[in-house]
């Protein structure tokens, strides 16, 4: 009874995490790819006619290499392109990032071989997750004898967008045709990829968030 009435600090924190961030735990696995820093000063809005044509082209359905119908839809924001504005971008070193976030991560089923919980990770919507990362222990010198006081740092939460469709990875969704108000063929069938944050959208979100 005492333990229920006076839970340990770690249990109290876990309860608060569950309340504010979620309790549906997910596992993560490092996958091929690169992590790089986004420097807003190196990006700009492209107002050229060629960039506008590229944006408008995304409203059309895409064909794939198998020669099938052009029925692939890529979600995007109807806005001007965000492009790299320098010929010499800064070094994309991510060594200062938490070690757990220095490579792309994909949500996988709990218990998957090679996966890690990264201390704590919970589902956040369909294609995203929240990851709790503890800052590393540090030592502080104090007094003439330079005695070291080891203290635990703070915890930080990060949202990973485009980290897989639930724990299924990146899946191709087949969407049936939908009739219009008169029962005639309205929107034809199409396919889209679920679980990914596509580059144009990801760059735009970074660009706007950093403003």
């Amino acid at each position: 009874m005492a333990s229920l009435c006076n839970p340990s600090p770690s249990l109290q924190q876990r309860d608060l995490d569950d309340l504010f961030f979620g309790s549906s735990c997910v596992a993560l696995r490092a996958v091929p790819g690169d992590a790089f820093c986004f420097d807003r000063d190196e990006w700009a809005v492209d107002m050229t006619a060629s960039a506008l044509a590229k944006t408008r082209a995304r409203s059309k359905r895409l064909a794939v290499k198998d020669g099938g119908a052009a029925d692939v839809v890529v979600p995007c924001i109807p806005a001007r392109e965000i492009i790299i504005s320098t010929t010499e971008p800064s070094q994309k070193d991510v060594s200062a990032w938490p070690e757990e976030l220095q490579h792309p991560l994909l949500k996988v089923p709990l218990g998957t071989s090679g996966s890690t919980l990264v201390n704590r990770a919970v589902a956040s919507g369909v294609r995203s997750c929240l990851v709790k990362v503890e800052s590393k222990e540090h030592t502080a010198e104090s007094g003439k004898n330079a005695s070291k006081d080891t203290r635990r740092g703070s915890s930080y939460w990060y949202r990973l967008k485009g980290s897989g469709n639930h724990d299924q990875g990146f899946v191709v969704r087949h969407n049936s045709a939908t009739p219009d108000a008169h029962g005639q063929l309205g929107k034809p069938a199409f396919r889209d990829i679920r679980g990914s944050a596509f580059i144009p959208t990801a760059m735009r979100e970074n660009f706007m968030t950093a403003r």
Side-chain angles (χ1 to χ4, degrees):
M1 181 64 70
S3 61
L4 294 176
C5 295
N6 299 289
S8 67
S10 59
L11 289 176
Q12 288 179 332
Q13 184 60 53
R14 184 62 174 261
D15 290 341
L16 289 174
D17 288 348
D18 288 352
L19 176 62
F20 289 104
F21 298 102
S23 57
S24 179
C25 292
V26 297
L28 297 168
R29 181 171 62 191
V31 293
D34 298 310
F36 65 91
C37 298
F38 180 88
D39 185 347
R40 188 189 184 281
D41 294 337
E42 296 179 351
W43 293 77
V45 179
D46 190 341
M47 299 298 291
T48 63
S50 60
L52 180 59
K54 185 176 181 180
T55 301
R56 287 175 171 171
R58 291 201 184 95
S59 65
K60 300 177 181 180
R61 300 185 177 203
L62 306 178
V64 293
K65 293 182 179 180
D66 63 9
D71 65 344
V72 177
V73 172
V74 177
C76 62
I77 298 172
R80 291 281 187 167
E81 300 295 300
I82 304 296
I83 61 167
I84 191 77
S85 61
T86 176
T87 57
E88 297 182 1
S90 60
Q91 185 68 27
K92 303 303 182 184
D93 180 25
V94 296
S95 59
W97 290 11
E99 184 177 354
E100 301 92 330
L101 304 180
Q102 293 180 16
H103 38 252
L105 296 170
L106 183 70
K107 291 181 293 184
V108 294
L110 290 171
T112 299
S113 176
S115 65
T116 173
L117 281 175
V118 194
N119 183 40
R120 180 155 174 74
V122 294
S124 175
V126 174
R127 65 189 180 109
S128 305
C129 69
L130 297 172
V131 177
K132 184 179 183 180
V133 177
E134 302 279 358
S135 62
K136 295 180 179 179
E137 291 183 353
H138 62 279
T139 57
E141 296 186 354
S142 61
K144 295 182 179 179
N145 297 326
S147 60
K148 293 185 178 181
D149 174 28
T150 302
R151 297 175 295 173
R152 190 66 178 171
S154 301
S155 299
Y156 298 91
W157 284 88
Y158 298 87
R159 189 163 194 248
L160 306 183
K161 301 193 68 173
S163 54
N165 189 72
H166 296 299
D167 59 6
Q168 304 163 338
F170 303 118
V171 300
V172 178
R173 181 173 64 177
H174 295 259
N175 304 274
S176 301
T178 55
D180 62 16
H182 304 286
Q184 303 298 317
L185 179 62
K187 181 187 295 184
F190 68 95
R191 293 178 291 168
D192 60 347
I193 299 175
R194 298 294 298 166
S196 173
F198 293 94
I199 290 179
T201 301
M203 293 300 101
R204 185 176 306 282
E205 289 186 358
N206 284 330
F207 186 81
M208 299 305 293
T209 301
R211 293 183 66 175

